Amino acid sequence: MADLLNVLYDKYMVLSAAVYDNKISEHSAEYLDCINSPKEDPKEKKLTAKIISQFYKHFPALQEQALNALLDFCEETDGDVRICAMKELPHLCKENKENVMNIASVLTQLLQLEDQDHLVACNLLIQVFKEDKLNAAKGILSNLGSEVEGLRDKIVNFVYKRLVYIGNGTNEDVPGLSELFESVGKKILLDCTAEEFMTVMPYLVSLKIAKTWEGQKELINLVEQKIEINEKFDPLEEGTYNADRLIMCVDTILPLFSAVNQSTKFLVYYCKEVLSQWHTIGTLDDGEQYQLRLLRQLALLSACSWKIENISEIVEQVFDKLKEYMPLPSEDVDVNKILNLNFTVVECLLYTFHKLAAQCPEFLTNEERIADFRLRLQYFARGVQGCKRGLKRTMQGKLGSIEDLSETDQEKVKIAPLVFANINLLIKDLFHKPPLYKSQVRLSFKDEVMTVPQIKPNIRKSPNRHTPITFDSSNGTSGKRLKSNKAGEDRQLYQPPSGKFSSNFGRTGNRGGSWNRGGGRGRGSRGSGRNWRN
């Protein structure tokens, strides 16, 4: 070992002196010996990696062999050797910009490593990206089609959580770069996991395209495909999380609806499909929370919905649901007792009904229906007044300290005055003869919902032994593949699956899995059906 290490040092000194004397081209034999000499000791390998990198630009004819040798070191089981070799790769890009795409592809494959190696690969990729943003991005994204477990997730996280924001996200100065991130992001959404959707979609919503009517419509159409808006909604479909998916997808596009890009199609879907499955949704774990989230979305959708076909049918569906939460007064009611009423749900339904009934004023012209509804409104208004008194006493400390309440209850107390005010305003409008639809209400939860949500990534461990590194010569510099994959095929820029399979978030089957890759939440016995990509 000592002899070979000394030999390598001697050759390093010779090559360094030759560079100084401008005679480096005469010493290709020494450089080739450094590359090809068999090495066992980590110190020999680390020194060779540095020699390869430092003198790489002086021997164009040997660059293919030099790069392959460096890649072999990147696959070493010894972590020190592997990291040393990885750190030399960006230097090859500085010496030859034509290497950027291939080196970026190699480092991207090293994202499959764990812990320190993964962090090193990320930082080195950023270095390479700064050398040539467009070609580096192409090299990184060329690995999205990899079959290596967990690699695609790591690429998506790296690109759409870090890389797109390098330089404060000012990628417009690089022609074609923003367009590349945008187009690939849209392709990813054709077949993606929940985590990938929530990583890519916020980026797309932040782009300039989301500031135009056409761009907003395109993003809305993407979500229509994801939730399969023309299909039946089944919250218990085996192997799926349809309720989660619907809520999460619609949350991302709520800020995009307007007078131009109306939410009518989504509103009709909620009224016909979701409300018809209301009690089934309630049987899910945390079913009441699902119901509240869906009703909040429904209320916001109703604000941007016009020209609804069969509007009376839609209004009646909301009205029937509203009556479930606005009971008739009982004969033995205690006027001194605070009623047990769901104010947050009623705020949503009452607001939705108020918006929709304004488009169908004849709905409340039936005398029997009006009489029944007025009793419910009056009874609920009494409940609001009783709870307002109780809230006032709580705020004054007469019913205990607010700090003694749970965090959830404290939040309820904070927004309760606005909830009560909204309900009273809407009741006053609807109690009028004939009902009025003039009041402008700002929903108590609007600011909370009208933001693009984030979810914690589902981190999965990669195999203990990472997959061999491969890359192609798609930049056209070498004319042949330096490293080939097992199938003997060059990697191309990512192309998504096509056909019906990829028109939603993925289906179970041979690919298996679901949003949380652990089977469905539902209690039904139907087939696997719609799902996230595994």
Side-chain angles (χ1 to χ4, degrees):
M1 178 205 74
D3 290 340
L4 178 56
L5 189 60
N6 289 332
V7 169
L8 289 172
Y9 270 118
D10 289 341
K11 294 185 184 298
Y12 172 77
M13 297 303 295
V14 170
L15 292 170
S16 297
V19 171
Y20 182 79
D21 295 334
N22 200 24
K23 296 180 180 180
I24 186 65
S25 60
E26 301 175 6
H27 295 274
S28 58
E30 285 85 350
Y31 186 65
L32 186 60
D33 286 343
C34 293
I35 295 172
N36 292 334
S37 58
K39 307 161 190 73
E40 298 294 336
D41 187 75
K43 293 182 179 179
E44 299 168 357
K45 297 175 182 179
K46 290 163 69 174
L47 177 57
T48 302
K50 292 184 179 296
I51 292 173
I52 289 173
S53 170
Q54 185 168 337
F55 302 105
Y56 177 81
K57 67 177 181 179
H58 299 292
F59 302 101
L62 300 177
Q63 286 183 354
E64 179 178 331
Q65 291 173 265
L67 184 53
N68 283 336
L70 201 56
L71 293 179
D72 289 338
F73 292 146
C74 289
E75 297 185 26
E76 285 285 334
T77 55
D78 187 300
D80 289 339
V81 173
R82 186 169 59 245
I83 290 178
C84 177
M86 290 166 60
K87 289 182 177 180
E88 300 302 328
L89 288 174
H91 297 301
L92 274 56
C93 297
K94 293 182 179 180
E95 305 298 352
N96 186 351
K97 292 296 181 65
E98 294 178 345
N99 286 330
V100 167
M101 189 182 299
N102 287 333
I103 296 300
S105 176
V106 168
L107 288 170
T108 302
Q109 293 170 60
L110 292 170
L111 291 176
Q112 66 185 283
L113 300 173
E114 299 294 334
D115 303 324
Q116 182 65 25
D117 294 294
H118 175 78
L119 294 176
V120 170
C122 288
N123 292 331
L124 295 176
L125 272 172
I126 291 174
Q127 291 182 33
V128 174
F129 180 71
K130 290 179 179 179
E131 291 292 330
D132 184 343
K133 290 186 176 182
L134 183 59
N135 284 316
K138 289 180 179 178
I140 294 167
L141 296 171
S142 68
N143 288 280
L144 275 172
S146 172
E147 296 297 326
V148 178
E149 182 182 357
L151 180 58
R152 171 177 158 132
D153 291 346
K154 291 182 178 179
I155 294 173
V156 171
N157 275 327
F158 174 73
V159 171
Y160 289 96
K161 286 186 176 179
R162 293 189 63 181
L163 203 66
V164 294
Y165 301 111
I166 297 296
N168 297 321
T170 55
N171 293 317
E172 289 78 8
D173 58 329
V174 181
L177 184 59
S178 292
E179 291 79 1
L180 176 64
F181 287 140
E182 176 189 334
S183 62
V184 174
K186 292 175 183 176
K187 292 173 184 177
I188 289 172
L189 294 186
L190 295 178
D191 179 30
C192 65
T193 63
E195 292 83 0
E196 289 169 351
F197 181 88
M198 293 310 300
T199 298
V200 176
M201 193 66 180
Y203 170 73
L204 295 179
V205 171
S206 72
L207 294 177
K208 287 183 177 180
I209 60 165
K211 308 299 186 294
T212 65
W213 305 126
E214 296 80 5
Q216 291 172 354
K217 181 60 177 176
E218 186 178 2
L219 295 178
I220 291 170
N221 289 340
L222 276 173
V223 172
E224 284 186 12
Q225 295 177 44
K226 298 316 110 190
I227 66 174
E228 296 185 321
I229 203 168
N230 296 317
E231 303 292 334
K232 293 289 184 181
F233 176 72
D234 182 1
L236 299 185
E237 190 170 3
E238 186 177 357
T240 68
Y241 286 83
N242 285 337
D244 301 72
R245 176 174 63 171
L246 178 61
I247 291 169
M248 192 186 70
C249 291
V250 173
D251 267 351
T252 62
I253 58 168
L254 280 173
L256 305 182
F257 290 117
S258 63
V260 176
N261 289 313
Q262 298 181 20
S263 56
T264 304
K265 194 170 184 179
F266 287 83
L267 174 85
V268 172
Y269 180 77
Y270 271 58
C271 291
K272 288 187 175 181
E273 296 297 329
V274 177
L275 292 185
S276 65
Q277 297 288 336
W278 197 245
H279 298 293
T280 304
I281 295 171
T283 66
L284 300 173
D285 294 338
D286 300 320
E288 289 186 2
Q289 290 301 314
Y290 280 106
Q291 290 174 330
L292 180 58
R293 291 284 300 278
L294 289 166
L295 284 182
R296 286 181 168 183
Q297 291 181 339
L298 176 62
L300 292 168
L301 292 171
S302 69
C304 298
S305 300
W306 298 275
K307 298 179 180 179
I308 304 172
E309 294 184 9
N310 302 319
I311 180 67
S312 59
E313 178 185 341
I314 300 300
V315 173
E316 186 164 8
Q317 289 167 330
V318 176
F319 184 69
D320 290 343
K321 193 58 58 185
L322 179 60
K323 289 194 298 183
E324 292 183 22
Y325 291 92
M326 296 186 73
L328 288 167
S330 58
E331 295 180 358
D332 57 345
V333 63
D334 183 354
V335 296
N336 297 315
K337 183 178 180 181
I338 296 178
L339 305 177
N340 184 21
L341 303 172
N342 196 328
F343 299 101
T344 52
V345 166
V346 169
E347 179 193 14
C348 300
L349 286 169
L350 204 57
Y351 178 89
T352 303
F353 177 76
H354 186 269
K355 286 290 184 182
L356 298 180
Q359 303 177 49
C360 185
E362 64 274 11
F363 184 81
L364 285 180
T365 56
N366 180 284
E367 290 298 329
E368 184 179 347
R369 175 182 288 165
I370 291 178
D372 176 88
F373 192 40
R374 286 172 64 85
L375 283 174
R376 296 174 188 272
L377 291 173
Q378 190 174 31
Y379 184 58
F380 205 88
R382 184 193 304 163
V384 170
Q385 296 306 315
C387 285
K388 285 178 67 175
R389 289 193 295 269
L391 178 63
K392 184 177 180 179
R393 295 178 66 189
T394 300
M395 299 296 288
Q396 294 173 345
K398 296 179 180 179
L399 297 179
S401 173
I402 295 179
E403 286 71 19
D404 296 335
L405 300 175
S406 67
E407 190 173 321
T408 302
D409 288 337
Q410 288 184 36
E411 289 300 317
K412 290 180 180 179
V413 168
K414 290 178 183 178
I415 68 169
L418 183 55
V419 173
F420 295 151
N422 287 342
I423 292 175
N424 276 335
L425 195 59
L426 293 169
I427 288 178
K428 186 180 295 184
D429 254 17
L430 295 171
F431 206 80
H432 195 275
K433 289 186 178 182
L436 298 177
Y437 306 99
K438 296 181 179 180
S439 296
Q440 297 298 316
V441 171
R442 179 173 180 81
L443 292 165
S444 62
F445 52 85
K446 186 174 182 179
D447 292 338
E448 174 188 344
V449 177
M450 294 289 281
T451 55
V452 178
Q454 300 286 340
I455 62 173
K456 185 177 180 180
N458 183 16
I459 301 173
R460 296 173 294 167
K461 290 187 177 181
S462 299
N464 292 332
R465 179 72 173 103
H466 62 271
T467 303
I469 301 164
T470 63
F471 65 91
D472 63 15
S473 55
S474 55
N475 58 7
T477 58
S478 65
K480 64 179 181 179
R481 186 168 61 254
L482 298 182
K483 277 277 190 178
S484 60
N485 56 26
K486 292 183 179 180
E489 297 177 352
D490 288 342
R491 294 190 182 277
Q492 302 296 325
L493 189 63
Y494 171 71
Q495 296 295 327
S498 59
K500 185 176 180 182
F501 175 83
S502 62
S503 64
N504 48 54
F505 280 112
R507 296 179 182 272
T508 54
N510 290 337
R511 296 167 63 127
S514 63
W515 181 335
N516 289 326
R517 298 174 173 84
R521 183 191 299 274
R523 298 167 174 80
S525 59
R526 290 181 53 187
S528 56
R530 297 180 294 280
N531 206 344
W532 299 97
R533 181 190 66 79
N534 182 22

